[in-house]
Amino acid sequence: MNDATPPAAPRLTSFSHGGGCGCKISPGVLSDILRNASGFPAPAQLLVGIESADDAAVWQLDDERALVATTDFFMPIVDDPFDFGRIAAVNALSDVYAMGARPIMALALVAMPIERLPLESIRAILAGGESVCAAAGIPVAGGHTIDSVEPIYGLVALGLGHPGRIKRNDGARPGDRLVLGKPLGVGIMSAALRKEQLPPEGYAAMIATTTRLNTPGMALSELEDVHALTDVTGFGLLGHLLEMCRGARVAARLSMAAVPRMAGVEALIARGFVTGASARNWAAYGDAVRLSDDGAQRALLTDPQTSGGLLVACAPEALEAVLEAFRRDGFAEACEIGEMVSGEPGVEVQA
């Protein structure tokens, strides 16, 4: 009789060179790659395509319906397979909500090291994603699988919205107030987790925010005075805010004191838990940012957010309605963080 204990399953994060939205190609490199993208004439039905840095493509079906299509996938940001599946699915569906649409179905994208990762772990990843889709009220209607060196999971997500209420990221106006729906710090937390230095309460907070569906996007689509909407992911708050500024040809003022952050994140930054993606982000767009602090503030504002919060630009008179839309869905930390102003596209960070 063999009493030997079976070997423990390897840590999911040990397979990947980067986790979550920190895997994204840096904004500077991505810009170079897409610089000579095909200029194929867009059909009139294509309401949103590659001409902007928006969250999803939008195709008008008729006067009342527009199809929203997006995809997102990445390598593990956590070691628990079920949590990894949940985070990846929430992150993918976020792009539908960020356009102001309602998800209708998803397809799974699955790439796994079959010979090295236990099948139970792979099943748990898929189950995590399915649980999120069930919570969103949609089926996982199919997908595609391959054998891969690194574990990769995500979704193709489809949604429906009204053509006149689709929210792009390039409609902000001077005077608009900025609202952020989730606190920052996911990349910093994940960096500590990889080094096994994230306390249990930190992990619980990280899972709570990354597995919360950005459902307020549907209610925000109903508000005419919401002028621009996006979600904050791999390029950090500054990167996605700059996309808003450049699309609308306006500038932004950000109040550092108002920016929500996860409890304990400053202490982790002080201990050196900053991702490589943060430095790549700053190298790509730092010349468009006025920021007196080059340490903790920069680390937080460039931190890649996996399954991050919605970023809203709205008229001042709509601010309370926007905050109420977040509160109704349990986003108690959503708050005003700044404003849009006239000027060359860029961000000024104030104390």
Side-chain angles (χ1 to χ4, degrees):
M1 181 175 178
N2 184 2
D3 294 327
T5 303
R11 295 181 67 195
L12 277 181
T13 53
S14 70
F15 287 96
S16 54
H17 70 276
C21 287
C23 301
K24 290 179 72 169
I25 295 174
S26 76
V29 174
L30 182 61
S31 178
D32 286 343
I33 292 172
L34 298 178
R35 182 168 294 142
N36 296 318
S38 171
F40 184 82
Q45 299 96 321
L46 186 63
L47 303 182
V48 182
I50 64 171
E51 73 284 351
S52 65
D54 249 304
D55 297 289
V58 181
W59 184 273
Q60 184 166 355
L61 299 174
D62 53 40
D63 290 344
E64 298 294 321
R65 298 176 304 158
L67 179 68
V68 176
T70 185
T71 186
D72 214 317
F73 51 87
F74 47 61
M75 291 164 283
I77 187 175
V78 295
D79 292 311
D80 182 278
F82 189 78
D83 284 345
F84 170 43
R86 289 200 294 159
I87 294 168
V90 170
N91 183 75
L93 292 176
S94 182
D95 286 342
V96 175
Y97 294 124
M99 302 301 295
R102 171 179 59 85
I104 57 172
M105 73 171 182
L107 306 174
L109 301 174
V110 185
M112 297 290 155
I114 299 299
E115 298 299 324
R116 299 173 59 208
L117 191 62
L119 295 183
E120 302 80 47
S121 296
I122 298 174
R123 292 191 193 103
I125 293 169
L126 271 60
E130 290 164 359
S131 73
V132 162
C133 290
I138 65 171
V140 178
H144 185 63
T145 61
I146 63 169
D147 191 356
S148 172
V149 175
E150 296 176 294
I152 298 172
Y153 178 70
L155 300 175
V156 174
L158 301 176
L160 286 177
H162 190 285
R165 293 195 288 270
I166 293 296
K167 298 297 183 181
R168 296 171 58 114
N169 70 356
D170 59 359
R173 307 171 188 177
D176 278 355
R177 301 301 190 257
L178 292 167
V179 174
L180 180 62
K182 291 184 181 182
L184 302 183
V186 172
I188 292 157
M189 293 283 191
S190 68
L193 179 66
R194 286 176 68 91
K195 298 290 188 181
E196 300 183 312
Q197 295 297 310
L198 184 64
E201 62 274 16
Y203 183 80
M206 176 181 165
I207 296 301
T209 188
T210 55
T211 58
R212 185 180 304 154
L213 287 162
N214 274 323
T215 51
M218 294 184 291
L220 294 171
S221 75
E222 303 290 332
L223 300 177
E224 184 177 348
D225 285 332
V226 169
H227 298 145
L229 182 61
T230 190
D231 62 346
V232 178
T233 55
F235 299 157
L237 175 59
L238 285 177
H240 293 283
L241 179 54
L242 278 167
E243 287 179 341
M244 272 190 170
C245 292
R246 289 165 176 160
R249 298 183 180 180
V250 296
R253 286 198 198 104
L254 202 60
S255 168
M256 192 67 211
V259 173
R261 71 282 316 263
M262 299 173 70
V265 73
E266 282 100 342
L268 291 175
I269 293 173
R271 294 171 59 193
F273 293 112
V274 179
T275 70
S278 177
R280 293 193 296 273
N281 283 341
W282 182 256
Y285 55 64
D287 58 352
V289 179
R290 291 174 58 189
L291 174 64
S292 59
D293 174 87
D294 62 356
Q297 290 183 8
R298 189 173 83 181
L300 186 66
L301 296 175
T302 59
D303 186 48
Q305 302 304 289
T306 300
S307 189
L310 295 177
L311 180 62
V312 187
C314 68
E317 55 268 27
L319 178 60
E320 188 53 41
V322 167
L323 292 172
E324 179 58 26
F326 279 107
R327 293 182 194 124
R328 282 197 304 268
D329 282 4
F331 287 74
E333 293 177 287
C335 61
E336 181 182 0
I337 62 169
E339 63 179 339
M340 290 295 195
V341 296
S342 299
E344 289 296 313
V347 178
E348 178 186 359
V349 181
Q350 301 179 332

